[in-house]
Amino acid sequence: MKNILIIDDEEKLRGLLARIIKSEGFDVIEASDLKSGFKKMEQNDVDVVLCDVKLPDGNGVDFLQKIKASFPLTEVVLLTAYGTISDGVQAMKNGAFDYIVKGDDNDKIIPLLYKAFEKVQLQKKVKQLEKRISEKYSFDTIIGKSKAIEQVIDLAKKVAKTNSTVLLSGETGTGKEVFAQAIHENSSNASRSFVALNCSTFSKEILESELFGHKQGAFTGAVKDKKGFIEEANGGTLFLDEIGEMPIELQAKLLRVLETNEFIPVGDTTPRKSNFRLIAATNRDLKVESDQHRFRSDLYFRLNIFEINIPPLRARVKDISPLVHFFVEQFSTSINKKTLQIEDNFLHKLESYHYPGNIRELKNIIERAVILATNDVLTLDVLPYEILHQSDNHNKSMSAFSMNSVEKLHIQKVLNYSKGNKAETARLLQIGIATLYRKLDEYNIQ
């Protein structure tokens, strides 16, 4: 439906405009004053308003602000019998789509309405897309009810409301980018850019250009100026994945940006400004890396304002079942299959696997299983060999005289002392939280 509201107190002119506009396939609603016009907007989904400037109960230029405040996607074309430059300028400032003079610009009305309607449709599509993106990356869409993941979500929700730098640590495939997107979408900068760059993908030279941008002629192949990700993220969020892989030389340049909000593109000499929120992610223990001089300690402390460690899938076994059901439905739909049932043995086998690739690995396993399934039930025969014949190394006992046995016992004591608080346990042991999770898995400590 293409709904046009005409607000004009001249009944004959209003009726004439209505007939012309209807002949073009638009649906027309009429009102004789601003009060009744606004009421009809509340009762109908109006795309474009064609409004006279001089009306018995007010001025259309001022009324425009009220429309935009209540119906921001609606476009307004103002009509006047006596056009003035000052009124036209104020109308455009107030958000009018256009401002035309009755009689002189009658032939412009229909083309204007088409252009205004096209803009409304585009704005609606953008809003729908933004809504789908925000829903896709909201915290509510993160699957899992285990205590481990609920604690992580709670931390992420708290920091999302701030502009603090966030460091997401955890093994590959645990969903660090999903959390980064969710934090952005729940922040005050949600309407601005979310720019993501994987630091392990490029060489030092290319990564420097991708981050900071470059001037034309800065190096062979730099045929024109290029904005870097830091500049693109201005006002929004910059997500640097695998930041532990960033070369030391670039770490120093990034630290300066974080401290001054200034950067210099490659080949340029003039500093530029960019104010963004940084979310970084790593599968390394950056504390250990900095202690061993493989990562700048000053950058580590700048990044480690608020660290969130995302636990591996094997530390959140309760979440495997809901994830399996979600992926089964997703992949069944994608290949036009009826949603498959899941055999108990199939699920139990998946719950006993250790998942070195975490959620990403589970997702791939389910996609393969859905493709291979020949009936309506997922059974053991569609699982990969390594899952069907997984070893029991995690359950083997250790010698009471081994160093591993001593380390396991000590970790267990500290964990009991901290009443299961893993962050406090890592602090007392003076190791990174990611290292603690690896030890818990290695020694099968629950």
Side-chain angles (χ1 to χ4, degrees), residues 386-406:
E386 61 269 21
I387 295 179
L388 290 174
H389 301 89
Q390 54 191 290
S391 65
D392 294 325
N393 287 340
H394 289 286
N395 298 319
K396 288 181 179 178
S397 59
M398 293 182 290
S399 164
F401 300 102
S402 70
M403 285 298 296
N404 285 348
S405 179
V406 173

Side-chain angles (χ1 to χ4, degrees), residues 113-262:
L113 290 179
Y114 275 109
K115 287 180 182 177
F117 181 73
E118 285 175 8
K119 183 179 178 183
V120 170
Q121 292 303 102
L122 180 60
Q123 289 178 143
K124 286 182 177 179
K125 286 179 181 177
V126 169
K127 280 291 181 185
Q128 289 169 355
L129 180 60
E130 287 175 346
K131 186 172 183 289
R132 286 205 300 271
I133 290 172
S134 64
E135 288 174 348
K136 180 180 179 181
Y137 293 109
S138 72
F139 289 114
D140 293 337
T141 61
I142 295 174
I143 298 169
K145 295 295 182 184
S146 66
K147 186 176 181 181
I149 201 64
E150 284 183 344
Q151 287 176 342
V152 170
I153 291 172
D154 184 55
L155 287 173
K157 282 181 177 178
K158 288 175 180 175
V159 78
K161 299 172 185 176
T162 74
N163 287 317
S164 295
T165 298
V166 180
L167 178 61
L168 299 172
S169 59
E171 296 177 10
T172 299
T174 50
K176 294 187 286 291
E177 185 164 356
V178 173
F179 271 89
Q181 284 271 15
I183 289 170
H184 171 75
E185 291 298 334
N186 287 271
S187 72
S188 58
N189 298 328
S191 61
R192 309 300 289 273
S193 299
F194 176 88
V195 183
L197 179 65
N198 190 314
C199 299
S200 66
T201 308
F202 306 101
S203 66
K204 172 187 170 294
E205 291 74 20
I206 296 176
L207 180 59
E208 184 176 19
S209 172
E210 291 293 321
L211 264 178
F212 302 99
H214 63 250
K215 289 287 287 182
Q216 180 181 352
F219 50 84
T220 303
V223 295
K224 61 180 181 179
D225 291 357
K226 180 191 174 194
K227 282 185 178 181
F229 278 57
I230 286 172
E231 190 169 358
E232 294 283 359
N234 188 25
T237 301
L238 175 62
F239 174 56
L240 295 181
D241 200 4
E242 302 301 350
I243 197 167
E245 308 296 328
M246 181 179 286
I248 289 284
E249 302 91 328
L250 296 187
Q251 292 177 26
K253 293 186 72 173
L254 176 61
L255 180 62
R256 174 168 173 75
V257 178
L258 296 177
E259 291 176 343
T260 66
N261 291 330
E262 287 188 350

Side-chain angles (χ1 to χ4, degrees), residues 185-376:
E185 291 298 334
N186 287 271
S187 72
S188 58
N189 298 328
S191 61
R192 309 300 289 273
S193 299
F194 176 88
V195 183
L197 179 65
N198 190 314
C199 299
S200 66
T201 308
F202 306 101
S203 66
K204 172 187 170 294
E205 291 74 20
I206 296 176
L207 180 59
E208 184 176 19
S209 172
E210 291 293 321
L211 264 178
F212 302 99
H214 63 250
K215 289 287 287 182
Q216 180 181 352
F219 50 84
T220 303
V223 295
K224 61 180 181 179
D225 291 357
K226 180 191 174 194
K227 282 185 178 181
F229 278 57
I230 286 172
E231 190 169 358
E232 294 283 359
N234 188 25
T237 301
L238 175 62
F239 174 56
L240 295 181
D241 200 4
E242 302 301 350
I243 197 167
E245 308 296 328
M246 181 179 286
I248 289 284
E249 302 91 328
L250 296 187
Q251 292 177 26
K253 293 186 72 173
L254 176 61
L255 180 62
R256 174 168 173 75
V257 178
L258 296 177
E259 291 176 343
T260 66
N261 291 330
E262 287 188 350
F263 69 99
I264 301 176
V266 179
D268 202 352
T269 56
T270 306
R272 300 184 189 180
K273 287 273 188 182
S274 183
N275 187 11
F276 58 89
R277 188 219 195 126
L278 178 66
I279 301 178
T282 182
N283 61 5
R284 296 189 179 193
D285 188 327
L286 291 189
K287 186 178 186 304
V288 172
E289 294 293 303
S290 65
D291 289 344
Q292 297 179 0
H293 309 293
R294 292 194 294 263
F295 194 86
R296 289 185 65 105
S297 59
D298 47 5
L299 179 57
Y300 166 66
F301 291 122
R302 185 64 180 78
L303 294 175
N304 197 35
I305 294 172
F306 197 98
E307 181 177 0
I308 300 176
N309 182 268
I310 303 174
L313 187 55
R314 59 186 171 275
R316 36 183 291 214
V317 176
K318 287 182 180 178
D319 297 336
I320 292 175
S321 177
L323 282 166
V324 168
H325 283 86
F326 173 79
F327 289 137
V328 167
E329 184 174 354
Q330 183 185 69
F331 292 121
S332 296
T333 302
S334 69
I335 61 174
N336 297 316
K337 267 189 178 182
K338 176 183 175 184
T339 300
L340 303 173
Q341 299 299 308
I342 301 169
E343 191 179 69
D344 287 346
N345 288 341
F346 179 92
L347 189 58
H348 292 156
K349 205 69 175 175
L350 288 175
E351 288 177 334
S352 63
Y353 185 57
H354 63 283
Y355 296 101
N358 291 294
I359 296 174
R360 190 178 298 145
E361 183 180 8
L362 175 61
K363 182 179 180 181
N364 294 341
I365 290 167
I366 298 303
E367 183 175 10
R368 175 184 181 275
V370 170
I371 293 170
L372 292 177
T374 55
N375 50 44
D376 294 340

